Amino acid sequence: MGTKMLNMSALNLESECKEIHDSWGQLNQLGLALASRTRLERQQIRETYKAIYGEDLANRLQKADQMADNRKQAAAGVGVSPKLCAALSMWMIEQHERDAIMIQEALDDQQGDTNYSALVEIFVGRKSSQILLIKQAYQRRFRRQLDQDIIHIEPPHPYQKILVALVASHKAHQADISQHIAQSDARRLYETGEGSSGPIEAVVLEILSKRSIPQLKLTFSCYKHIYGHEYTEYLKTRNSGEFENAMKTVVQCIYRPATYFATILYASIKGSMTDKGALARVMVNRAEVDMDEIRREFKRQHGIELRDALCDSDKIPFGDYRDFLVALTASK
């Protein structure tokens, strides 16, 4: 299967789905081809495959991921990479479905800890309408209320309060962005932070719960303009507790997402991330959002192209999974 874009006519869709079906077990070319597909094209391929073969392609990839470590299958010589199957199954589903699954995995991390970074990335990076779709998908798939699952995270953690505030912000914020509100909020952050030795938690959570992500981004921009440095610099110099440390991550993700994700990718590529799912999560989730910005920031920070860093990494096994990740760096 070639990677060149094709006109998604019914004939082409049927032909591609037949190629996918007939070449199962040799997923490298499939990964390279699908990496170049737009969201709409992937949706068309998924729908056509199900119409022809009666099986959801994303579900089949997920099953292949679960079977890939089976010794009998390995002995039979079936070349299925579990990492590629997992990444492809996430790539093939709609964003809100993907987010719902990633949230559930973050809440029920295999290491027994809640993956707060993954949760923050999703709630900060989605619009209010998208959060509603995520909640609906989460309830359909897991038969639980997302808000309640966040509220009842155990043991309690400051990230939990921040996430609850962000969930509230998606319900309550105004659509318009106000320079006046941003300046006022920036001053409140200063007056309860650098301008005072008191606790910052109540004011920060109030602002997070009432403002949209674009409004918060403008607030942090105003903070730097008024006071000459970023809010995260204050958080670094403060006698940091868990709340301040959590806020550093949240502010960076809101204010400088390309910098945040470039840092996550570099650490993942070098193998210094304890969050082993971060590499695939970021590559799949940001491929159609801001990959160009992330690539530029990665090059600025580390003096190497992202695709070259992926290819040169001794922490990412050579083969189809690496090829797929490299192909995603070129996604628009």
Side-chain angles (χ1 to χ4, degrees):
M1 183 186 299
T3 59
K4 184 179 179 181
M5 284 285 189
L6 298 175
N7 177 26
M8 292 286 98
S9 66
L11 183 61
N12 283 330
L13 282 167
E14 290 179 9
S15 176
E16 286 209 30
C17 289
K18 186 176 187 303
E19 285 189 60
I20 292 170
H21 188 76
D22 292 347
S23 62
W24 200 258
Q26 300 174 354
L27 296 182
N28 188 40
Q29 290 302 311
L30 173 61
L32 294 177
L34 291 178
S36 67
R37 299 300 187 202
T38 66
R39 182 197 64 79
L40 179 58
E41 289 169 342
R42 298 196 305 275
Q43 181 182 359
Q44 291 174 328
I45 290 171
R46 186 182 175 191
E47 290 173 352
T48 303
Y49 189 94
K50 186 170 185 179
I52 296 174
Y53 299 107
E55 185 174 14
D56 189 303
L57 179 56
N59 289 345
R60 187 172 185 189
L61 286 163
Q62 188 175 33
K63 290 177 184 177
D65 167 29
Q66 295 166 353
M67 294 174 60
D69 289 330
N70 185 292
R71 291 183 179 180
K72 292 181 180 180
Q73 184 182 21
V78 180
V80 178
S81 163
K83 286 189 174 182
L84 176 63
C85 289
L88 271 176
S89 67
M90 289 292 101
W91 182 240
M92 286 303 296
I93 63 180
E94 290 293 319
Q95 184 186 74
H96 58 277
E97 295 180 88
R98 182 195 309 154
D99 285 341
I101 293 171
M102 289 186 173
I103 288 171
Q104 194 276 332
E105 291 175 349
L107 289 169
D108 190 23
D109 189 88
Q110 292 181 352
Q111 297 178 350
D113 299 320
T114 301
N115 188 338
Y116 288 107
S117 294
L119 296 174
V120 168
E121 290 165 16
I122 291 171
F123 281 99
V124 165
R126 303 293 180 254
K127 298 177 181 178
S128 299
S129 58
Q130 294 170 323
I131 294 293
L132 178 60
L133 291 174
I134 293 168
K135 289 180 179 180
Q136 292 170 347
Y138 188 91
Q139 185 174 16
R140 283 196 307 270
R141 183 176 286 266
F142 304 112
R143 299 294 187 267
R144 298 200 303 270
Q145 296 287 339
L146 176 54
D147 294 19
Q148 292 301 309
D149 280 2
I150 291 174
I151 290 171
H152 292 108
I153 292 174
E154 291 292 343
H157 190 281
Y159 264 121
Q160 189 177 6
K161 298 178 182 178
I162 294 170
L163 288 167
V164 170
L166 289 172
V167 170
S169 77
H170 282 291
K171 297 177 181 177
H173 74 75
Q174 296 179 346
D176 295 335
I177 300 174
S178 166
Q179 183 78 20
H180 172 72
I181 290 175
Q183 291 173 342
S184 176
D185 285 346
R187 290 192 176 94
R188 289 188 69 199
L189 289 174
Y190 179 85
E191 289 165 1
T192 56
E194 292 182 74
S196 169
S197 60
I200 65 171
E201 187 173 314
V203 170
V204 170
L205 291 176
E206 180 192 343
I207 291 174
L208 288 179
S209 68
K210 292 182 177 179
R211 310 297 185 225
S212 68
I213 299 303
Q215 182 68 54
L216 290 169
K217 188 170 185 177
L218 182 58
T219 294
F220 297 127
S221 177
C222 287
Y223 192 99
K224 182 178 181 181
H225 178 75
I226 296 171
Y227 302 109
H229 57 268
E230 294 183 7
Y231 187 59
T232 51
E233 292 302 313
Y234 153 67
L235 291 172
K236 290 177 184 177
T237 58
R238 183 182 172 94
N239 185 17
S240 295
E242 286 186 327
F243 183 82
E244 288 81 5
N245 287 331
M247 275 303 298
K248 280 186 282 189
T249 298
V250 174
V251 174
Q252 183 82 324
C253 201
I254 292 173
Y255 186 46
R256 296 193 182 278
T259 300
Y260 170 87
F261 287 113
T263 301
I264 294 293
L265 288 176
Y266 185 77
S268 297
I269 290 168
K270 291 298 181 181
S272 59
M273 283 286 292
T274 56
D275 181 359
K276 300 305 180 184
L279 178 60
R281 183 180 74 242
V282 172
M283 292 299 298
V284 169
N285 268 343
R286 309 308 294 190
E288 296 174 297
V289 180
D290 53 1
M291 186 55 70
D292 283 346
E293 295 176 52
I294 293 171
R295 286 205 316 262
R296 288 193 294 270
E297 181 60 23
F298 192 96
K299 177 72 177 293
R300 187 192 69 79
Q301 284 184 17
H302 308 293
I304 184 174
E305 296 289 348
L306 174 57
R307 61 176 293 120
D308 294 337
L310 288 165
C311 290
D312 294 344
S313 174
D314 59 359
K315 304 298 181 181
I316 307 172
F318 178 82
D320 49 13
Y321 174 62
R322 178 193 288 185
D323 292 344
F324 176 65
L325 295 180
V326 171
L328 286 182
T329 66
S331 297
K332 299 297 183 182

